[in-house]
């Protein structure tokens, strides 16, 4: 039987990152992917003359060369060199604030510019916004420290260096923003990004939200010039250069065990031996279909059952036969939630009838060459907070997705005044079932489990030492300690690879 030091199952972001780290550390590593392409969510597809980015709107924590973020540093460490483009603004938001005020706010990058703009929209917000960014600095530094400590941070060091982080970490975003005395309209604008983490700001912890917003505003968002597919290919190339082996079109069906410890995997191409396996698949899927029941500790089943599947995406991709300029499109991303009350907006995501949330994205604003000359590309994304799509029969599936897509175009045209319908050359829709098929997650979730109060990023990072009790087996992905998103999953992959290397070193003693 073929034998490896480690098998990584799934070439999503976390799987590719873990595989690169292990290969770099000299481990004989096999990466197995069921699809014929790497990346999981991080990929692209073609329709006619358009190549559509499947998922990535904005990569957090890449940053400029002068102030590199964790992802830029990670890619450099791996030896991956891909051209990135900076997103010039943070977001535009069009919606109704909790105060009843109609808001149409376009926010810039850079802390000072962001605070100045907020003061224009919401006079009197300046001091609280400055406090928010100061606290954000501390939250980021604390998260980096906890990540590096492999889940065993020194409490005295934490108290000395991150006192305000400790004071606020366990509280929800809204609670801390209220404590900072931030005017409600400013909070509503600041909270625009909540859907990127899938949990409303009544439940999402402050440290998680603040860390993300802080990075987007301070270091800008970036996208790879050749879509996330280009970035995923670069990961695979580098992994292979480092001596790693990849099997595409291969599904791992079972993880194999001997005396309660991992001994390999059973795949559609045959069995492979390895004492360490990292699953880039959702634990629900693994426990239900890939592991023998007797090796799964009761605690792990209870933990998985207590968790809530996070957002499932619905995306409309449009290729238009006019340029962004000709159509009058000027914004890269526009968030159009039905309300800026994030708890109510979250509730509305739970049914087809009430879901009226859209994020529009025009790639050509950042990358004029994203589509052929004389054209542009747009996507509209919404999320579902529940298993809404299970009730759609196969007969009604196409009709339902087309109706929702049409409703999205109507809303966009109404809110922005930009007309699209006459210029659509290609249209494609991905529903939660599309994602379930391509990434093999329960109900198509692409964010793993909700990082709500009790299951927050902080709680997960602090449980790293107890969370992987099955000898030889670890999980990495959006469901993991860092939560969803490109930066979180790349960093999660590196972290889980490091924990695996630590186990291997201890075994070798
Ligand atoms: C529409 C959309 C927009 C998004 N926008 C952003 C954004 O702007 N910014 C951001 O940071 N994040 C964004 N995200 C989230 C981000 O894409 C995901 O959180 C992240 O890519 C998930 O990575 P992962 O490591 O969990 O792997 P996944 O992408 O879930 O991939 C898992 C991989 O494992 C493979 N696999 C599963 N089971 C098996 C098996 N048994 N055998 C072999 N292979 C298997 C799958 O085929 C897949 O390739 C978006 C996601 C979507 C869908």
């Amino acid at each position: 039987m073929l034998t490896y030091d480690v098998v990584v199952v799934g070439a999503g972001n976390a799987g590719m990152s873990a595989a690169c780290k292990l290969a770099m550390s000299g481990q004989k590593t096999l990466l197995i992917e069921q699809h014929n392409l790497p990346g999981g969510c991080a990929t692209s597809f073609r329709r006619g003359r358009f190549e559509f980015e499947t998922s990535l709107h904005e990569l957090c924590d890449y940053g400029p060369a002068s102030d590199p973020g964790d992802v830029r540093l990670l890619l450099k460490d791996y030896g991956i060199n891909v051209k990135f483009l900076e997103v010039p603004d943070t977001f535009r938001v069009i919606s109704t604030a909790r105060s009843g005020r109609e808001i149409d706010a376009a926010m810039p990058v850079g802390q000072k510019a962001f605070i100045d703009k907020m003061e224009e929209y919401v006079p009197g917000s300046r001091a609280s916004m400055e406090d928010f960014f100061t606290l954000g600095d501390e939250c980021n530094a604390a998260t980096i420290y906890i990540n590096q400590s492999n889940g065993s941070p020194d409490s005295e060091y934490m108290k000395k260096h991150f006192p305000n982080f400790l004071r606020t970490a366990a509280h929800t975003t809204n609670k801390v923003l209220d404590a900072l005395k931030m005017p409600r309209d400013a909070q509503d604008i600041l909270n625009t990004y909540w859907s990127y983490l899938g949990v409303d700001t009544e439940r999402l912890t402050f440290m998680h939200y603040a860390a993300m917003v802080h990075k987007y505003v301070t270091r800008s968002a970036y996208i790879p010039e050749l879509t996330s597919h280009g970035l995923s290919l670069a990961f695979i190339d580098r992994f292979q250069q480092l001596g790693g082996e990849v099997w595409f079109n291969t599904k791992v069906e079972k993880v194999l065990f001997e005396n309660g410890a991992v001994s390999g995997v059973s795949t559609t191409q045959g069995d492979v031996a390895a004492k360490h396996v990292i699953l880039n698949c959702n634990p629900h899927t693994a426990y239900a279909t890939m592991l023998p029941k007797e090796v799964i500790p009761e605690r792990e089943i209870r933990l998985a059952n207590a968790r809530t599947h996070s957002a499932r995406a619905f995306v409309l991709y449009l290729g238009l036969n006019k340029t962004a300029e000709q159509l009058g499109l000027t914004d890269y991303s526009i968030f159009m939630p039905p309300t800026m009350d994030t708890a109510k907006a979250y509730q509305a995501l739970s049914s087809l009838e009430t879901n009226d949330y859209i994020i529009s994205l025009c790639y050509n604003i950042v990358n004029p060459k994203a589509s052929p000359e004389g054209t542009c590309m747009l996507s509209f994304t919404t999320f579902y907070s529940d298993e809404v799509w299970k009730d759609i029969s196969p007969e009604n599936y196409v009709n339902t997705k087309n109706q929702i897509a049409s409703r999205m175009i109507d809303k966009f045209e109404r809110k922005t005044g930009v007309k699209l319908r006459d210029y659509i050359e290609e249209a494609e829709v991905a529903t939660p079932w599309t994602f379930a098929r391509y990434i093999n997650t329960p109900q198509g979730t692409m964010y793993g489990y909700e990082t709500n109060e009790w299951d927050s990023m902080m709680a997960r990072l602090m449980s790293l030492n107890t969370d992987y009790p099955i000898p030889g087996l670890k999980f990495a992905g959006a469901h993991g300690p860092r939560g969803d998103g490109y930066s979180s999953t790349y960093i999660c992959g590196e972290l889980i690879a490091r924990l695996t290397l630590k186990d291997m070193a201890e075994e070798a003693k």
Side-chain angles (χ1 to χ4, degrees):
M1 203 192 303
L2 290 168
T3 303
Y4 295 84
D5 295 326
V6 190
V7 173
V8 179
V9 181
N13 288 342
M16 294 187 298
S17 177
C20 275
K21 176 76 183 174
L22 291 162
M24 257 175 75
S25 312
Q27 304 305 325
K28 188 178 175 200
T29 309
L30 173 65
L31 175 60
I32 303 181
E33 169 56 47
Q34 59 168 9
H35 194 15
N36 58 356
L37 298 169
C41 294
T43 186
S44 68
F45 64 93
R46 278 194 65 169
R47 291 292 178 273
R49 54 184 177 146
F50 296 91
E51 180 183 354
F52 292 100
E53 164 65 56
T54 305
S55 63
L56 182 61
H57 297 193
E58 308 184 81
L59 204 149
C60 190
D61 213 16
Y62 181 76
S66 55
D67 179 23
D70 281 352
V71 175
R72 188 188 271 264
L73 295 172
L74 190 77
L75 295 179
K76 188 166 175 232
D77 188 36
Y78 287 167
I80 294 172
N81 192 7
V82 162
K83 184 170 177 198
F84 278 85
L85 305 170
E86 186 179 352
V87 176
D89 301 302
T90 52
F91 54 77
R92 177 176 168 194
V93 55
I94 307 175
S95 190
T96 312
R98 282 175 287 177
S99 62
R101 177 178 158 192
E102 292 303 322
I103 301 240
D104 183 348
M107 302 303 287
V109 292
Q111 285 187 21
K112 185 178 177 314
F114 196 92
I115 293 169
D116 287 349
K117 192 46 111 183
M118 191 69 95
E119 182 64 24
E120 263 178 46
Y121 287 125
V122 188
S125 61
R126 183 178 297 282
S128 58
M129 287 298 299
E130 283 169 355
D131 288 347
F132 169 82
F133 281 109
T134 308
L135 203 44
D137 282 333
E138 202 175 303
C139 285
N140 273 330
T143 318
I144 291 170
Y145 169 71
I146 297 171
N147 200 56
Q148 283 166 352
S149 74
N150 294 341
S152 309
D154 177 62
S155 57
E156 289 310 311
Y157 184 91
M158 295 279 295
K159 276 188 224 158
K160 187 166 172 215
H161 291 90
F162 314 119
N164 294 315
F165 166 79
L166 289 176
R167 217 166 277 143
T168 53
H171 294 294
T172 65
T173 308
N174 283 3
K175 203 165 172 190
V176 178
L177 296 184
D178 276 343
L180 292 177
K181 300 197 170 32
M182 186 178 288
R184 281 284 165 97
D185 284 357
Q187 291 186 23
D188 287 352
I189 295 172
L190 186 67
N191 285 346
T192 294
Y193 276 132
W194 72 269
S195 61
Y196 278 177
L197 296 177
V199 181
D200 59 79
T201 53
E202 288 285 344
R203 295 179 302 134
L204 182 64
T205 54
F206 175 77
M207 55 110 24
H208 196 173
Y209 190 65
M212 178 184 71
V213 175
H214 184 278
K215 287 168 189 161
Y216 274 139
V217 173
T218 309
R219 295 204 177 104
S220 302
Y222 282 76
I223 54 171
E225 187 185 34
L226 298 178
T227 77
S228 63
H229 177 57
L231 182 53
S232 297
L233 287 182
F235 260 97
I236 295 299
D237 276 354
R238 185 64 188 137
F239 172 61
Q240 288 174 318
Q241 279 169 15
L242 290 164
E245 203 178 313
V246 192
W247 294 0
F248 289 112
N249 292 311
T250 307
K251 187 164 184 173
V252 170
E253 293 174 321
K254 299 275 176 217
V255 181
L256 304 172
F257 286 82
E258 254 173 46
N259 303 324
V262 165
S263 62
V265 292
S266 179
T267 83
T268 45
Q269 310 282 346
D271 291 358
V272 175
K275 287 199 174 134
H276 291 271
V277 169
I278 295 178
L279 294 179
N280 183 205
C281 354
N282 190 286
H284 265 71
T285 311
Y287 296 155
T289 65
M290 297 165 75
L291 300 187
K293 296 271 170 292
E294 62 276 11
V295 303
I296 313 169
E298 172 75 14
R299 174 195 181 264
E300 296 311 293
I301 303 281
R302 288 159 87 96
L303 179 62
N305 283 336
R307 290 178 150 161
T308 309
H309 293 308
S310 195
R312 303 91 169 143
F314 176 104
V315 189
L316 166 64
Y317 307 89
L318 294 178
L320 298 138
N321 61 18
K322 287 266 182 276
T323 63
E325 198 179 9
Q326 285 166 333
L327 293 171
L329 293 162
T330 50
D331 301 289
Y332 177 67
S333 64
I334 311 178
F335 288 70
M336 289 166 271
T339 162
M340 293 166 97
D341 182 325
T342 64
K344 285 191 181 145
Y346 173 89
Q347 276 306 321
L349 302 181
S350 65
S351 84
L352 291 178
E353 293 69 36
T354 53
N355 185 329
D356 185 30
Y357 189 103
I358 316 179
I359 304 171
S360 73
L361 210 80
C362 180
Y363 298 92
N364 303 71
I365 301 294
V366 172
N367 182 5
K369 292 188 192 147
S371 64
E373 210 166 306
T375 70
C376 70
M377 288 191 299
L378 266 180
S379 72
F380 297 115
T381 304
T382 189
F383 311 89
Y384 290 93
S385 61
D386 215 333
E387 204 181 351
V388 176
W389 281 77
K390 78 173 188 316
D391 299 327
I392 314 291
S393 68
E395 296 73 36
N396 285 334
Y397 178 72
V398 172
N399 226 353
T400 306
K401 67 177 190 172
N402 288 346
Q403 272 174 13
I404 293 169
S406 184
R407 215 160 71 190
M408 286 174 140
I409 298 172
D410 285 345
K411 176 166 178 175
F412 178 83
E413 291 191 337
R414 209 171 54 243
K415 291 279 175 187
T416 62
V418 173
K419 298 290 172 216
L420 301 176
R421 281 191 188 275
D422 291 345
Y423 312 108
I424 298 173
E425 182 175 315
E426 295 289 343
E428 189 53 274
V429 172
T431 73
W433 293 132
T434 318
F435 289 102
R437 175 169 169 232
Y438 281 103
I439 59 173
N440 194 25
T441 58
Q443 303 165 24
T445 173
M446 73 297 187
Y447 280 5
Y449 300 116
E450 281 194 355
T451 48
N452 51 34
E453 294 127 305
W454 74 267
D455 195 18
S456 66
M457 178 164 80
M458 174 80 168
R460 294 183 194 184
L461 280 171
M462 300 300 274
S463 321
L464 282 178
N465 283 329
T466 50
D467 262 356
Y468 305 103
I470 304 175
L473 187 74
K474 294 202 184 333
F475 288 92
H479 50 267
R482 303 287 306 230
D484 72 271
Y486 275 64
S487 53
S488 302
T489 46
Y490 289 140
I491 289 164
C492 170
E494 194 268 349
L495 169 66
I496 298 301
R498 248 189 304 124
L499 294 177
T500 303
L501 291 166
K502 197 171 142 222
D503 287 354
M504 292 168 104
E506 272 161 25
E507 283 159 20
K509 271 184 199 161

